[in-house]
């Protein structure tokens, strides 16, 4: 196979939408997935469904790296989907580090190198902060953080950087909170608002650096197509908001009040140590995207929320 696009993590919220859009534009898309049969049902029309997991150092999947137009690596165990334990933290870390290491090793061994390696990372790279008002704007040149989430992102990016030694163009996509009604933070917040029990999580003072799912996908596709895209790229909208502002705007769109804050103690019951990060944030700006003329479809939160909810996107 030649000129195809490999996607890991294709059955996640971002991966499904990305794969569908690439298939619709006529690309040969090869999905690296844990369950090929499940993936084929969820995302029909791909050129291949290949067994892959982050702990697989080799296998038939390695042959699909050679000749690829691009490799888009989105896979990683969800961080805030369950209560934290030492085992959960280890699995989250290893799924990103080992998976990236194995992909990069396959790139190094490929007879024909892929055109670009787009490796997911996150704005947790910069650390986590309690108050939006106390946080300066974080562009791609901002210093790295020192907490657990930052360590994951830093080590994740180190593994990806090894791909540059092979001559492959590397994009490190530092993604913020991707807004979709099909998963993630927005989906979780809609339910209590629907029951008139919605409100901000934690103090409400933390920064939410968000991006509409459509703009996230557009950013990835631009990184795939545009050779000027390389290095770290903050995938966030230009207008971060506080959690309190986010909850108020979500309530307004849903026609519900935002009166019932979720205290940190309640989040701790659900997530344990993970609550420390669920109630913090980062004030991140998309410096690279703005400098390179990327046009956001949604820069204002209210319009983004309205479009997502009206269309159940």
């Amino acid at each position: 196979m030649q000129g195809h696009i490999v996607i890991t993590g294709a059955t996640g919220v971002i991966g499904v939408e990305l794969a569908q859009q690439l298939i619709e534009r006529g690309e040969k898309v090869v999905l690296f997935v844990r369950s090929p049969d499940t993936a084929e049902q969820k995302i029909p029309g791909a050129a291949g469904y290949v067994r892959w997991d982050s702990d697989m150092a080799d296998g038939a999947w390695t042959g699909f790296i050679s000749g690829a137009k691009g490799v888009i690596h989105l896979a990683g165990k969800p961080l805030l989907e369950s209560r934290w334990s030492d085992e959960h933290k280890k699995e989250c870390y290893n799924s990103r580090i080992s998976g990236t290491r194995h992909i990069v090793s396959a790139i190094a061994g490929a007879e024909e190198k892929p055109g670009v390696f787009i490796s997911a990372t996150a704005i947790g790279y910069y650390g986590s902060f309690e108050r939006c008002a106390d946080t300066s704007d974080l562009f791609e040149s901002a210093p790295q953080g020192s907490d657990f989430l930052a360590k994951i992102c830093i080590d994740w990016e180190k593994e990806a950087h090894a791909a540059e030694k092979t001559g492959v163009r590397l994009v490190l996509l530092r993604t913020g909170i991707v807004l979709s009604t099909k998963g993630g933070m927005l989906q979780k917040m809609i339910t209590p608002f629907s029951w008139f029990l919605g409100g901000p999580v934690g103090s409400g003072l933390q920064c939410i650096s968000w991006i509409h799912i459509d703009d996230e996908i557009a950013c990835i596709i631009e990184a795939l197509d545009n050779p000027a895209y390389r290095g770290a790229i903050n995938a966030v909208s230009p207008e971060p908001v506080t959690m309190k502002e986010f909850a108020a705007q979500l309530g307004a769109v849903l026609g519900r009040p935002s009166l019932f804050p979720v205290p940190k103690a309640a989040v701790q019951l659900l997530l344990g140590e993970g609550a420390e990060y669920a109630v913090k944030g980062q004030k991140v700006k998309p410096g690279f995207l703005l400098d390179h003329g990327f046009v956001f479809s949604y820069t204002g939160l209210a319009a983004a929320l309205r479009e997502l909810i009206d269309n159940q996107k």
Side-chain angles (χ1 to χ4, degrees), residues 265-276:
V267 183
Q268 286 174 321
L269 288 175
L270 294 173
L271 297 177
E273 183 188 340
E276 292 296 324

Side-chain angles (χ1 to χ4, degrees), residues 21-270:
Q21 288 198 27
L22 289 173
I23 291 168
E24 287 172 5
R25 82 171 193 174
E27 300 284 359
K28 294 181 291 184
V29 178
V30 176
L31 308 181
F32 283 11
V33 291
R34 286 193 295 269
S35 173
D37 290 341
T38 300
E40 187 169 7
Q41 292 177 4
K42 195 170 188 178
I43 312 168
Y49 303 87
V50 180
R51 173 84 173 90
W52 178 89
D53 206 345
S54 60
D55 61 357
M56 293 173 63
D58 52 31
W61 65 268
T62 60
F64 289 88
I65 299 295
S66 182
K69 177 188 294 186
V71 176
I72 305 172
H73 179 41
L74 305 176
K77 181 178 176 65
L79 282 155
L80 296 174
E81 294 293 317
S82 59
R83 185 177 177 83
W84 279 26
S85 63
D86 288 344
E87 183 63 25
H88 177 72
K89 290 168 66 177
K90 182 179 179 181
E91 289 175 356
C92 288
Y93 181 88
N94 287 342
S95 69
R96 290 161 173 78
I97 306 310
S98 298
T100 305
R101 182 177 297 161
H102 298 328
I103 292 287
V104 170
S105 178
I107 290 173
E111 183 174 341
E112 183 180 347
K113 300 292 185 282
V116 61
F117 178 41
I118 301 173
S119 186
T121 174
I123 59 174
Y125 175 94
Y126 303 109
S128 302
F129 306 88
E130 293 184 356
R131 291 172 52 91
C132 197
D134 296 340
T135 309
S136 59
D137 292 345
L138 298 170
F139 293 93
E140 286 84 356
S141 59
Q144 62 193 38
S146 58
D147 58 27
F148 175 68
L149 290 189
K151 176 176 173 53
I152 288 181
C153 295
I154 293 161
D155 291 353
W156 200 1
E157 291 190 10
K158 283 180 181 176
E159 295 294 338
H161 270 298
E164 290 182 310
K165 298 175 183 177
T166 71
V168 171
R169 177 167 64 91
L170 172 66
V171 175
L172 298 168
L173 202 66
R174 293 178 182 163
T175 296
I177 295 173
V178 179
L179 299 186
S180 169
T181 63
K182 299 177 182 178
M185 188 185 84
L186 177 59
Q187 183 193 49
K188 287 181 172 61
M189 291 184 70
I190 286 174
T191 300
F193 271 95
S194 298
W195 290 93
F196 291 87
L197 296 172
V201 178
S203 70
L205 301 178
Q206 70 271 36
C207 257
I208 303 299
S209 293
W210 58 275
I211 186 168
H212 188 293
I213 182 69
D214 287 357
D215 283 329
E216 172 75 6
I217 301 307
C219 176
I220 295 173
I221 292 176
E222 186 67 16
L224 176 71
D225 295 342
N226 190 338
Y229 277 51
R230 61 176 62 242
I233 298 175
N234 289 338
V236 294
S237 81
E239 299 180 11
V241 297
T242 66
M243 168 56 80
K244 186 175 181 179
E245 292 169 331
F246 186 95
Q249 293 198 38
L250 176 58
V253 169
L254 293 171
R256 300 288 192 271
S258 178
L259 299 175
F260 297 94
V262 181
K264 181 179 177 181
V267 183
Q268 286 174 321
L269 288 175
L270 294 173

